[in-house]
Amino acid sequence: ATPLQIELELVRISDHVSKNTSAGHITAFYRPWEDVRTEKFDGLIITGAPVEQIEYQEVTYWDEMRRILDWSQDNVHRTLTLCWGAMAALHHFHGIPKHALTEKATGVFSHANRVPANPIMRGLPDRFDVPVSRWSELRATDLPSGRGLEVLADSAETGLCLIADPAHRTVHMLNHLEYDTLTLAGEYARDEGRSLPLHYFPGDDPAGEPSNTWRGHGHLLFGNWINETYQ
């Protein structure tokens, strides 16, 4: 939705076989990272994966993920990491551990805008809704001092959400402002109703149709990141 002209390149882990997307689709639209590693990019978005319950070193593509993160420091101007991608980057660059949750954190939660003057947060209200969907968390008490990390947004119910990492020209988002209206409903159905998304269905009744209360916030955040990359 940005007025800036963007050429998008879809990239995948080189040797990983996706369980949730057909091989034909992946081959048709995504290039292996090994094929683009000699190129340079203005921006890089590293998305999440449903592996946050697995130790980093046990993820089959962890070594390549680390190479990609290191590569981004010399070949990408700005990076935005999402969900497990954010956890992985913060662990790789800063040694921050992730902690398993006894129950899945899922739903739409109110978040506080901690640094309204930060260019990434420009125009966002003091409080805004963000979809959350994860089995692990990062804790503010584990953030190392002296590294320049800055908490941009967090929630009293689900903790950290947005962290600025200027030393690595990266913004880390642990949650999901990119979700569509029915993404959480689809995850709830996929998980056979085991983890009800809170504050999402009307009256927390999954028979009701949810309303999207975060769409504008998502457009604004991604637009701010793109604009900062362009500037």
Side-chain angles (χ1 to χ4, degrees), residues 11-20 26 32-34 46-70 82-89 91-92 98:
V11 180
R12 62 175 172 85
I13 296 291
S14 298
D15 298 322
H16 178 65
V17 178
S18 175
K19 295 180 179 178
N20 300 314
I26 293 292
W33 174 71
E34 290 289 349
I46 300 179
T47 65
V51 294
E52 72 264 30
Q53 292 177 288
I54 305 173
E55 294 298 324
Y56 293 115
Q57 292 77 10
E58 295 177 6
V59 175
T60 56
Y61 47 83
W62 177 241
D63 288 342
E64 183 168 352
M65 174 63 77
R66 294 180 64 193
R67 291 195 297 272
I68 291 170
L69 291 167
D70 289 337
L82 308 179
C83 199
W84 183 83
M87 294 180 184
H91 178 73
H92 176 70
K98 61 182 172 71

Side-chain angles (χ1 to χ4, degrees), residues 111 134 137-138 151 153-162 174-175:
H111 284 66
R134 47 184 164 80
E137 67 176 0
L138 302 188
V151 176
D154 58 9
S155 164
E157 293 181 84
T158 56
L160 296 171
C161 174
L162 283 161
L174 297 168
N175 300 325

Side-chain angles (χ1 to χ4, degrees), residues 44-46 72 76-81 168-171 225:
L44 171 69
I45 297 176
I46 300 179
S72 73
V76 176
H77 185 58
R78 285 183 183 269
T79 302
L80 176 63
T81 63
H168 297 94
R169 304 182 310 281
T170 300
V171 174
W225 179 76

